[in-house]
Amino acid sequence: MSGGAGFRLFALAVFTALVAGVGACSDRLDSRGSCPLLCPQEGVPLRDTLIDVVSDTTVLGFPPFGYENYMLLTSRGDTLETRVIVRYDTLFTTYHTSAGDSEVTTLDSAFLRLGLLIDTLRRNPAPVTIEAYDVDTLEGFDTSATVLASLFRKDRFLASRSFAPESLLDSVFIRLPTDSVLGHMLAHTRMRIGLKVVSTKSASVLIESHDAGTGPRLISYASKDTTVPPVANNVFSLTPATPLFLANALGDYVVTVKGGSPPASSLISVGGLPGRRAIINLNIPSYIVDSSSIVRATLLLHQKPNRTIDPKDTVPLSPGAFLINSVVTDPETILGFLSPPGAFGLLEHGLVPSDSGVQGIEIGPLVRTWGLSKPDVNRRSVALRSSEEAEKPGQLDFFSTRAAPALRPKLRITYVPRTNFGVP
Amino acid sequence: MRRTVFVFSLFAGAAGAQGNLSTQGYGFPTGQFSARAAGTGGAVAEIDPWSPLNPSTIGVFSSKVLFFQIEPEYRTVQNGAAKDRTTTSRYPVLFGAAPVGSRWVVSIGASTLLDRTASTVVQSTKLVGTDSVQATTTFTVDGAMNDVRLATAFTPASWIRLGVGAHAITGRSFVSVGDVYGDTTAFSNFTVRRTLSYGGAAASAGVQLISRNFVAAASARTGGTLTVSESDTLLSSGRVPTRFGLSVAYTGIANSAIAFRTSREGWSSLNKLGPGVSASDAWDTSVGADVAGLKLIGQDVAVRAGARTRTLPFAAAGKTVTENSFSGGLGTMFAGGRLITDVGLTRASRDAGLAANERAWILSLGIGVRP
């Protein structure tokens, strides 16, 4: 190869590499240092609009009967009184030993084990006593608060145990009379136990339900031999027979025997006991929902102080999306199909029942999804509930669409309208 | 009931500027120069067949040719102590030509008329209702207004070439603007995008006169309607800028040219394309030389140099932007003249009498192929 040809090849290779290298370069464009002198109009305008809430509805009774994760057993004098009912509609009657299975004929001891959720910052102010009663009664009346309350009487008393406030930890055991438990085992009859808390002052205990874990367990020792495991029964309900799915829920549940009230017609209520949820119906113009970028959507609620129960305890208010289309209209039903707290990026807001004034609930992440589907699929409504529903008795009240105009709920929405951006 | 209660944000308004002196308005005019012409500061552009300006110049092609050009710009914008370095990749010229018979040549190609590629990030405090929030706004625009030309040249005699061209102005700009907020619990970040499409038509004509020692060439383009639209919605309309250019070159040295060029482009016809467009007609003048005769180990190499001054079409902060540049370049051929390679390097300085100024290196790499 001559020197000239070699140079030509070299030059061509250099040029090719230069073209390839330069062609592969990517843009690096950010030139913020010259702003705002050379870019005084960057950005797009945000528009802020107030929209009245169309309507609202508050429904009482959430979570549905028997679906509490933690059951509030409380005694607040005249303001609130609840009972916890646990059902053992079938009882195991055999126990296991190294020699094999044996039928229970005697019992050494029997206990009711309750898992607790303890708030160490809010202990009971005085010792509490948990009393257990036999609350078995006729089917059809076995969920009636009035009937059940009447069964907490002396002749049905089973057992009790007192606890110092600091001794209430993650679980407690209440010794039950062995003859009563053994009698149900031998007779193959159901055992239904009602729990009541008694104290010289207001008292509350949160008991884990079988929806959150194992629930209250009936533990019986058929032998004094400590190597023999106990007979352990979990809550189990056979009634109601129809609908059958309710039977499982009613393995354990709470009844309110005193306190609680229907929502006032001029209020939106959240929390409380029995728990309340609210539906807020909105009608946002399609040019905002469909054609704009929503930066912020804040539900503005005028709070009315509620000083009935735990007025200064923070209640976590959680906005939620409906997971059910508009074919279903029954408020109680649709409030049963909500996104879990925190889903859709909807954050909780800790509010105090005794507060007043305007509270802003951010629902922007939910409102943005409304542009993705039609209202009959994704209803233009937001649900309000407490994420600690039925666990805290505090109730948040807000003025509704039936209140005076200045107090009615509104939606403040900040959005980016379609603009002529990009055209110099 | 629905009522708008409050609208305010700092720096709010229609996004338009791009944070550089050179890419204001609808963008930066690359000049539609080939790498060869760029090396001479554009002085030979009216007589250069690789530059899609004067349609008569393609009459020089005696065989089929394809041409492609890469032209990155490395730009520095200084505003007081703040300095931004940016890189913009461009592909400003692409065309092919083929002779038809002994006197006619036809060509089709595309070149960048206005390159609008930029991005800025602005941090500000936005007031929404009674709340304020820290926001980082990013504005990005990427795209160009292109000139697609179908041209033909006729050579009735050895001393004259004539040419005409039909132009379609096309292209798109992808624009996006978005906010990232400091408080994401209440405010949701957003990005909005839109695509602006350009459409228009123009016609051009050119002539080239050749004597023993001089070449003179002139061309003109007259514009039809130019529109800016989004999807099927017409946003605005104006006129394609008219252009007139003239080059005179001394060619008394074999295969060399010492040239002068001036041109005027009627950019003000774009003023109707947007409420914030402030375009002015602009002169573009240059002198340069393309000198052959240098041999490197038997390889003929052309050496080029030039100087250029022009005003850019779009004002920055209300002030006209002037660009002065110096260029140099090399050109050679491989494979028996079937592969033509040109390299040009331009150092441009842009100033508008503002606190900010701009410097740029523009590298032009041209590849011509005779298949």
Side-chain angles (χ1 to χ4, degrees):
Chain A
M1 183 182 290
S2 70
F7 171 77
R8 282 194 290 274
L9 274 177
F10 174 74
L12 188 58
V14 168
F15 186 78
T16 304
L18 195 58
V19 169
V22 169
C25 281
S26 59
D27 287 346
R28 187 164 58 84
L29 302 171
D30 178 19
S31 53
R32 68 184 73 185
S34 54
C35 293
L37 175 64
L38 301 179
C39 37
Q41 293 184 311
E42 302 297 354
V44 292
L46 301 181
R47 190 158 294 167
D48 206 21
T49 298
L50 272 181
I51 297 172
D52 283 348
V53 168
V54 175
S55 62
D56 61 77
T57 307
T58 297
V59 179
L60 181 144
F62 289 96
F65 207 48
Y67 287 96
E68 306 90 349
N69 287 330
Y70 289 91
M71 300 176 288
L72 179 64
L73 180 62
T74 187
S75 174
R76 308 286 183 101
D78 291 336
T79 58
L80 188 65
E81 189 95 25
T82 65
R83 306 280 191 266
V84 167
I85 311 298
V86 291
R87 292 179 173 181
Y88 302 96
D89 283 3
T90 62
L91 293 170
F92 291 118
T93 58
T94 57
Y95 63 100
H96 308 286
T97 66
S98 56
D101 290 352
S102 299
E103 276 292 318
V104 173
T105 55
T106 61
L107 283 182
D108 174 63
S109 56
F111 299 90
L112 186 63
R113 179 197 176 279
L114 305 175
L116 304 182
L117 181 66
I118 298 297
D119 182 353
T120 55
L121 299 177
R122 294 186 64 254
R123 292 192 182 282
N124 286 296
V128 299
T129 301
I130 298 176
E131 297 178 346
Y133 293 83
D134 177 1
V135 292
D136 191 14
T137 187
L138 295 174
E139 193 171 343
F141 301 95
D142 53 2
T143 56
S144 162
T146 307
V147 171
L148 288 169
S150 69
L151 301 178
F152 286 79
R153 59 180 189 257
K154 201 171 184 179
D155 61 315
R156 285 178 169 260
F157 178 81
L158 292 174
S160 68
R161 185 175 174 189
S162 295
F163 302 92
E166 62 277 9
S167 69
L168 286 171
L169 300 174
D170 59 341
S171 63
V172 295
F173 289 81
I174 299 170
R175 181 185 287 270
L176 296 175
T178 53
D179 56 340
S180 176
V181 178
L182 182 62
H184 286 290
M185 284 181 164
L186 295 179
H188 296 286
T189 56
R190 66 192 187 188
M191 188 170 193
R192 294 182 171 182
I193 300 171
L195 301 175
K196 174 185 178 181
V197 65
V198 178
S199 177
T200 56
K201 295 185 176 177
S202 291
S204 294
V205 179
L206 270 178
I207 301 171
E208 178 194 72
S209 86
H210 76 295
D211 292 290
T214 57
R217 303 184 87 192
L218 179 57
I219 297 172
S220 307
Y221 290 88
S223 169
K224 289 183 182 297
D225 183 350
T226 55
T227 63
V228 175
V231 180
N233 285 282
N234 292 337
V235 295
F236 185 75
S237 175
L238 287 171
T239 60
T242 56
L244 188 59
F245 67 87
L246 275 183
N248 181 56
L250 295 181
D252 52 23
Y253 56 94
V254 182
V255 290
T256 303
V257 297
K258 190 186 292 179
S261 58
S265 62
S266 63
L267 294 177
I268 297 167
S269 297
V270 175
L273 205 73
R276 291 152 172 80
R277 294 180 182 177
I279 305 169
I280 307 293
N281 296 312
L282 297 157
N283 182 16
I284 305 174
S286 62
Y287 72 84
I288 296 177
V289 171
D290 300 336
S291 306
S292 305
S293 294
I294 294 170
V295 173
R296 185 184 193 183
T298 310
L299 191 61
L300 301 175
L301 301 172
H302 278 265
Q303 185 173 359
K304 182 180 182 187
N306 183 322
R307 299 186 176 88
T308 311
I309 308 170
D310 292 349
K312 295 195 179 301
D313 277 1
T314 299
V315 174
L317 188 149
S318 177
F322 290 97
L323 307 178
I324 189 168
N325 67 22
S326 63
V327 172
V328 180
T329 56
D330 173 52
E332 188 172 351
T333 303
I334 65 173
L335 279 168
F337 292 88
L338 300 183
S339 60
F344 289 91
L346 296 168
L347 301 179
E348 285 184 354
H349 293 66
L351 301 180
V352 176
S354 61
D355 272 359
S356 60
V358 178
Q359 305 289 356
I361 311 297
E362 302 296 343
I363 60 170
L366 174 62
V367 175
R368 268 191 299 283
T369 69
W370 293 349
L372 305 176
S373 53
K374 294 185 180 300
D376 56 346
V377 175
N378 192 353
R379 58 177 72 226
R380 293 349 184 197
S381 304
V382 60
L384 300 179
R385 66 169 164 190
S386 166
S387 58
E388 294 181 2
E389 204 166 48
E391 298 168 13
K392 285 188 171 180
Q395 179 175 316
L396 302 169
D397 288 335
F398 307 96
F399 289 101
S400 74
T401 53
R402 296 162 294 283
L407 299 173
R408 290 175 186 168
K410 292 177 174 60
L411 180 71
R412 187 179 71 197
I413 191 161
T414 306
Y415 62 100
V416 183
R418 284 184 69 86
T419 59
N420 216 21
F421 81 93
V423 176
Chain B
M1 182 198 74
R2 187 174 71 247
R3 65 182 191 275
T4 299
V5 293
F6 196 64
V7 182
F8 188 81
S9 73
L10 294 182
F11 302 131
Q18 281 96 51
N20 302 301
L21 287 172
S22 55
T23 57
Q24 300 292 309
Y26 278 99
F28 175 72
T30 61
Q32 299 174 277
F33 293 163
S34 68
R36 178 195 174 204
T40 65
V44 300
E46 297 292 338
I47 60 173
D48 174 33
W50 308 102
S51 300
L53 288 172
N54 185 344
S56 69
T57 58
I58 61 173
V60 76
F61 292 127
S62 57
S63 62
K64 295 174 187 170
V65 295
L66 293 171
F67 183 74
F68 174 67
Q69 186 165 321
I70 305 173
E71 195 169 273
E73 177 173 332
Y74 307 93
R75 185 189 301 138
T76 302
V77 183
Q78 181 135 17
N79 182 17
K83 183 182 283 190
D84 292 318
R85 289 190 172 88
T86 64
T87 303
T88 304
S89 299
R90 298 191 182 109
Y91 304 90
V93 182
L94 170 70
F95 81 94
V100 179
S102 60
R103 293 174 183 269
W104 291 87
V105 176
V106 295
S107 163
I108 185 163
S111 57
T112 302
L113 186 64
L114 289 167
D115 173 42
R116 193 178 176 208
T117 306
S119 176
T120 57
V121 180
V122 179
Q123 291 179 325
S124 63
T125 300
K126 293 197 171 185
L127 301 178
V128 180
T130 55
D131 297 330
S132 64
V133 61
Q134 290 296 316
T136 302
T137 302
T138 302
F139 174 84
T140 302
V141 59
D142 189 3
M145 192 182 291
N146 297 315
D147 177 359
V148 178
R149 186 188 72 170
L150 176 64
T152 184
F154 175 59
T155 308
S158 60
W159 58 272
I160 186 170
R161 295 190 188 102
L162 303 170
V164 293
H167 300 252
I169 306 301
T170 64
R172 290 187 292 182
S173 290
F174 303 97
V175 191
S176 71
V177 61
D179 277 0
V180 174
Y181 295 107
D183 177 7
T184 54
T185 60
F187 295 88
S188 297
N189 304 334
F190 73 90
T191 300
V192 288
R193 298 179 177 83
R194 67 192 312 210
T195 301
L196 305 178
S197 300
Y198 309 111
S204 64
V207 61
Q208 199 172 0
L209 301 173
I210 304 146
S211 70
R212 183 175 176 182
N213 292 326
F214 289 93
V215 175
S219 69
R221 182 186 64 212
T222 181
T225 301
L226 176 63
T227 61
V228 179
S229 57
E230 181 185 21
S231 298
D232 55 354
T233 303
L234 178 67
L235 300 177
S236 59
S237 65
R239 305 283 297 179
V240 177
T242 56
R243 186 190 61 78
F244 171 80
L246 170 72
S247 280
V248 177
Y250 171 70
T251 56
I253 303 169
N255 296 319
S256 301
I258 300 170
F260 165 83
R261 174 182 181 259
T262 190
S263 75
R264 184 169 175 81
E265 194 125 11
W267 296 110
S268 60
S269 63
L270 299 180
N271 279 334
K272 291 182 178 176
L273 288 186
V277 178
S278 175
S280 302
D281 298 344
W283 284 100
D284 182 351
T285 303
S286 53
V287 292
D290 179 359
V291 180
L294 179 64
K295 273 193 180 297
L296 285 175
I297 317 180
Q299 182 78 14
D300 289 324
V301 177
V303 180
R304 295 157 190 149
R308 180 188 188 192
T309 182
R310 63 169 175 167
T311 53
L312 299 183
F314 302 102
K319 300 286 186 67
T320 300
V321 181
T322 301
E323 179 190 82
N324 296 310
S325 59
F326 295 94
S327 306
L330 297 171
T332 190
M333 291 187 283
F334 298 96
R338 291 185 176 276
L339 179 63
I340 300 102
T341 57
D342 294 303
V343 178
L345 185 64
T346 301
R347 177 60 167 171
S349 170
R350 297 159 190 147
D351 191 74
L354 299 169
N357 60 59
E358 191 173 308
R359 303 283 182 271
W361 287 104
I362 302 170
L363 180 63
S364 303
L365 301 172
I367 306 166
V369 178
R370 299 182 200 270

